[in-house]
Amino acid sequence: VESLCPYCGVGCQLTYQLEGNRIISVVGRDGPANRGRLCVKGRFGFDYIHHSHRLISPLVRKDGVPKLAEDYVDPGNPYTHFREATWDEALDLAAAGLARIREQHGGQALSGFGCAKGSNEEAYLVQKMVRTGFGTNNVDHCTRLCHASSVAALMETIGSGAVTAPFSESVNADVLMVVGANPTENHPVAATFFKNAVKAGAKMVVMDPRGQTLKRHADYMIQNKPGTDVAVLNALMHVIVQENLYDEEYVQSRTDGFEELRVHLLDYSPESMSEHCGIPAGILREVARLYGNAERAMIFWGMGVSQHIHGTDNARCLISLALLTGQVGRPGTGLHPLRGQNNVQGASDSGLIPMVYPDYQPVSDPSAHAFFEEFWGATLNSEPGLTVVEIADSAHEGRMKGMYVMGENPAMSDPNASHVREALCNLEHLVVQDIFLTETAVYADVILPASAFPEKDGTFTNTDRRVQIGRQALDPPGDARQDWWIVQEIARRIGLDWNYDGPRSIFEEMRGCMPSIAGITWDRLCEEGAVTYPCRNVGDPGDPIIFGDGFPTPDGRGKLIPVNIIPPDEVPDEDFPMVLTTGRHLEHWHTGVMTRRARVLDELEPEAVCEISPADARRLGIVPGAWVRVTSRRGVIELKARITGSTPEGLVFIPFCYSEAAVNLLTNAKLDPFGKIPELKFCSVRLEEIDFPRVSAPQ
Ligand code: SF4
């Protein structure tokens, strides 16, 4: 069965090979994003769907079982806390709890999290149910933890939050800049295109506090001190302006704000920034000249840029760099925030965001509000809703009373996880729709067993804005059901008159309110497998490279925004002298719910580790494999030490996929004021060796 990979935003096309109702192997197809290539997750990461932990019948919390933040429920045996229920009983209970809160406290006491792993159609239904059924815009998803700040900066400066060109355009570039991203682990097939580009003669600059595999292919590895991106990027722009390497014609005709930026950058010479960021001034000048002299250059960035309280500022600098040099809108040029989840782009496009309806139409804009009231035949709230972290805070304070969570795992993925777990316990009513008993589902009142990726049809939008079709290969196990069906059944029970008969009819409705995909038909997707939006009219080819003739801002011009240095929220001190940063491992995805149940992947990376530098290991007397305790102001975890040359002194790196040592128990929830994204890439911690683990939860 021809389908897609469910893991990262690259969107590799693949073929499932089946025997009965089991996937026995997977091979890559010649899709536009992967050209037959797959990484280890796409090739070996599918047997999670056959795992014995799959939820196969609806569950409801047993009477009298309390919700305790530090509770542990064996995902293989949920019956200590839950009992099986029929679908009717579970759906009635789930909907009745939501409806009661709506009647007693109003819609603002409710919220919903959708899923960036689900299809566009599922995301659209969740946000529509929250807006038209709950009566609130309190709907969000993990984009808030991923590229919310990048989108805020892109919307502000060039009027659109999506990439301007696909990552495969890297093969037409002379210079690639990869900033705050680790694509060989997080977007491995995209990384192969970057390596191809270098082999064909392109120069590559990698900028990241952690060393990484891609540096073997790079001409420059800028390993700046954590949290100093603005200093580095302002220094590069200083040189580009001072040495007249900017594109004067482009700046004059396409942008606003140059003079203000020029004056601002006078204070940011490489010599004055060098000590702050830890990079020699000469290197900063060489890199600035390399980028400034390029005929075609692309910038790729990841969560190392976005997950800071100054994440929006970081992205503003990258955008200014590209606008100053006219590196947008032509082959081999562009701005590309590498999107994390397989469908985080599509879930955002479909309206799973508290401030905007589908296609990024602001909920506070009277004309968009009027359009959607008429389109959906409902009275809508025009107040932007709360974001992921704000919803947790609201639940913690007792204002948020009920939640519907489809496929998200905030108890693992959100910062300051103890606080989040307490917030989930505080809810009067929590409904979770998922394929496993996640760390979040432990706190649910009702759990609805859903379908895994290979068990459903749907459209998914990759990091390139490419809408692709995923096809059902298998039936869901036991009494698990299609996600769109579950959402519709809840919606009906809270008073909505929905009659969709499957993903195709939902997609048809979406085309009617999303001009960007209006020209993409379901039949065409089935035939061609992928169409890139914007595709406004049936028959349009789709538009991979955009903004060659101006930006979708009111005057068609891009904005250059000067940015000052803001220190991280929590800097190291005597008690917590090291910096903690988080991310992923190649073999595990996100909170590990799927990949830790995929046999090959879990055997490759079976246990929680933290990476530290050889210098810190020597100083602290830690040998490889030793147990260490990592403590922040918010929590403590215990796990094994891995000593890596790529980790700079003073830094601790911990992936967030390990539930037995959940790093988000340590992280800081302080938000970027524009994107409302937490500072997951920087907080201060203390590290010490221990004899044996004390606090780790059982697996
Ligand atoms: Fe899947 Fe991403 Fe790997 Fe492709 S690169 S196989 S989409 S995880």
Side-chain angles (χ1 to χ4, degrees), residues 5-12 14 34 37-43 186-190 589:
C5 173
Y7 287 107
C8 87
V10 170
C12 295
L14 48 73
N34 64 315
R37 307 167 193 186
L38 294 177
C39 80
V40 69
K41 292 186 287 291
R43 203 172 290 281
N186 293 315
H187 301 84
V189 167
W589 187 255

Side-chain angles (χ1 to χ4, degrees), residues 178-185 206-217 221 223 646-647:
V178 182
V179 183
N182 187 0
T184 49
E185 305 223 16
V206 177
M207 175 177 156
D208 197 300
R210 292 172 67 216
Q212 47 170 282
T213 321
L214 204 58
K215 95 173 175 191
R216 295 208 301 260
H217 305 263
M221 175 76 215
Q223 227 171 317
S646 58
T647 308

